[in-house]
Amino acid sequence: MPNTEQSQRATMDRTTTSRRPDLTGLLDVLRSEAGDDAGGRPSDTALDALRGSGLLRLPVPAEYGGLGGSWRDVNAAITSLSRVDASMGIILFLHHAAVSRIIGWGSEEQKKRCLTAVTRDGQIFASSWSEPGAGAAKQHIATTATARADGGWELSGAKTFTTGAGVADLYLILARTGDSGPATGSYGQTNQGIFVVEAAGAGFGVDGVLDLAGMRRSATGLIRLDAYTAGSGDMLALSTDTPTVIGHPHVLGLTLGAVALGVAETAHDLALEAARRRSLVDSPLYRHLLFELGSRLAAVRGVVDAATRPDGDRTVPALTAKVFASETAEAICRGAQEIAGSAAFSRAHPLNRLAQDARAVTLMGPPNYLCRELVTAGLGTL
């Protein structure tokens, strides 16, 4: 069976050599900080290592200073990072989800400005959709974007569960534009707009991070917009396209299943280590349990890989991978805890942290129940 290092190398070997960022320094930092989650966010040292690794610019086209990697490369990189720190993996996933929207929907001016900020300055993107009472499908948000006479917008409101709050330099903010006509869309609505917001801009603020059970270093917290002025070039797309822009990463095959796969791989490694240490491999009962965990892990790898395999719209495979990988990762963590024994239920045990991280992926947007609805609502196209 492969150990952690071998599995990580195998994952990254699927990334084209010429497009491979250097994860070595970042992973060393994250390993040295393992278990240190009291601050609720990555350390400045870890963030500096992330910026220096090349990961942020992996899929950005070469003409904007990027590495030109594929979205399969991105999924593989997210998995490798999530093996060591799922919180950093989720920050990277959401960064690339935002970058994919800039690449796919941004004007040429927006691409030059925003993508150069990533490739030249190492700036990190986050997305901020959620609000109290808005629901998982983001149908009834209260944050407003009011048109100004100069063509710009004034943004006001509060957001919660923003991953990367206070860590990201740039945010994609979902706000209600009040456009006339019927508001439609199954994930977001057509009377909403998406705006590029700078953390350094006047009127932007962070109100702290949440004390989460899982993803405890993800800097998931609250942000506020107090009459923030967005320029005329800061609206990413016409509001009629907002639901499509929100779902754009799934079309490319980007999936939170890549984060869950990293969690599952590490949990499986820890299960093997515990079984050998406790001499459980002599018992057919535990050998069979290890077989089940290994077969489930292989299935997770398959569905995550399938998300970027076919051409065209990959939404269904990406959403399916998110659901299957996150729920199966939870099951692998539970099985690994049974093998490790009662110590694995202590808060500080790595398997307990991994189990909480896997659970967090099931709840992240779109949460698994909404993924099921988004897929099954289009059964006629399957």
Side-chain angles (χ1 to χ4, degrees):
M1 293 286 182
N3 61 24
T4 299
E5 296 294 331
Q6 291 170 333
S7 296
Q8 181 176 293
R9 285 196 298 271
T11 299
M12 286 308 296
D13 281 346
R14 295 197 291 269
T15 303
T16 305
T17 302
S18 62
R19 297 172 180 171
R20 183 184 301 167
D22 182 6
L23 279 69
T24 305
L26 173 58
L27 295 179
D28 286 345
V29 170
L30 295 178
R31 290 190 188 99
S32 71
E33 297 176 351
D36 182 11
D37 58 14
R41 51 160 287 172
S43 69
D44 290 340
T45 302
L47 291 170
D48 288 343
L50 173 63
R51 291 186 171 96
S53 68
L55 281 172
L56 297 176
R57 58 192 178 101
L58 176 57
V60 177
E63 63 194 278
Y64 302 106
L67 299 179
S70 70
W71 298 107
R72 175 176 287 189
D73 295 337
V74 173
N75 277 347
I78 290 168
T79 294
S80 290
L81 197 55
S82 299
R83 289 184 58 87
V84 180
D85 187 337
S87 293
M88 190 66 90
I90 206 72
I91 288 173
L92 182 65
F93 171 85
L94 291 170
H95 165 81
H96 284 311
V99 165
S100 79
R101 297 180 178 108
I102 300 293
I103 294 172
W105 289 87
S107 66
E108 185 59 27
E109 185 279 328
Q110 287 171 333
K111 290 177 185 178
K112 288 179 179 178
R113 174 164 52 96
C114 296
L115 298 181
T116 301
V118 171
T119 60
R120 185 189 63 198
D121 303 327
Q123 295 199 350
I124 299 172
F125 259 104
S127 296
S128 191
W129 312 141
S130 297
E131 296 180 12
K138 314 300 182 281
Q139 297 289 302
H140 306 290
I141 62 172
T143 298
T144 58
T146 304
R148 291 163 48 96
D150 61 3
W153 300 82
E154 183 176 286
L155 276 59
S156 295
K159 298 288 188 178
T160 187
F161 286 101
T162 297
T163 296
V167 166
D169 308 285
L170 299 164
Y171 296 76
L172 292 186
I173 301 289
L174 187 67
R176 180 164 49 84
T177 59
D179 290 350
S180 60
T184 60
S186 57
Y187 193 30
Q189 290 190 333
T190 56
N191 65 347
Q192 300 167 350
I194 298 174
F195 299 84
V196 179
V197 167
E198 298 182 8
F204 178 91
V206 177
D207 287 336
V209 297
L210 303 171
D211 186 15
L212 303 179
M215 299 293 179
R216 289 180 55 82
R217 279 164 52 98
S218 63
T220 298
L222 313 172
I223 67 171
R224 68 181 184 278
L225 298 154
D226 297 320
Y228 177 96
T229 300
S232 58
D234 289 334
M235 189 176 192
L236 182 60
L238 296 174
S239 58
T240 52
D241 295 324
T242 292
T244 304
V245 178
I246 291 177
H248 183 67
H250 308 133
V251 175
L252 303 172
L254 271 177
T255 174
L256 279 166
V259 176
L261 173 56
V263 171
E265 287 183 343
T266 298
H268 182 251
D269 285 347
L270 292 173
L272 291 172
E273 179 186 312
R276 292 168 181 145
R277 185 179 65 251
R278 301 182 68 199
S279 301
L280 300 180
V281 292
D282 296 329
S283 164
L285 175 65
Y286 285 102
R287 287 202 304 270
H288 294 177
L289 177 54
L290 288 169
F291 171 84
E292 293 299 327
L293 298 185
S295 64
R296 289 177 178 181
L297 178 58
V300 171
R301 287 184 178 129
V303 296
V304 171
D305 182 66
T308 50
R309 188 177 301 162
D311 294 329
D313 189 335
R314 298 154 178 156
T315 299
V316 169
L319 292 174
T320 301
K322 192 265 187 182
V323 174
F324 181 81
S326 59
E327 294 180 2
T328 306
E330 277 196 280
I332 291 172
C333 288
R334 286 196 300 271
Q337 286 175 312
E338 291 179 18
I339 291 170
S342 57
F345 291 91
S346 69
R347 184 188 178 282
H349 196 284
L351 277 171
N352 188 47
R353 292 200 302 270
L354 289 166
Q356 297 288 357
D357 287 345
R359 180 59 178 163
V361 178
T362 72
L363 300 172
M364 289 180 168
N368 283 7
Y369 79 86
L370 182 55
C371 289
R372 288 181 165 93
E373 176 59 22
L374 292 172
V375 170
T376 57
L379 280 176
T381 64
L382 294 181

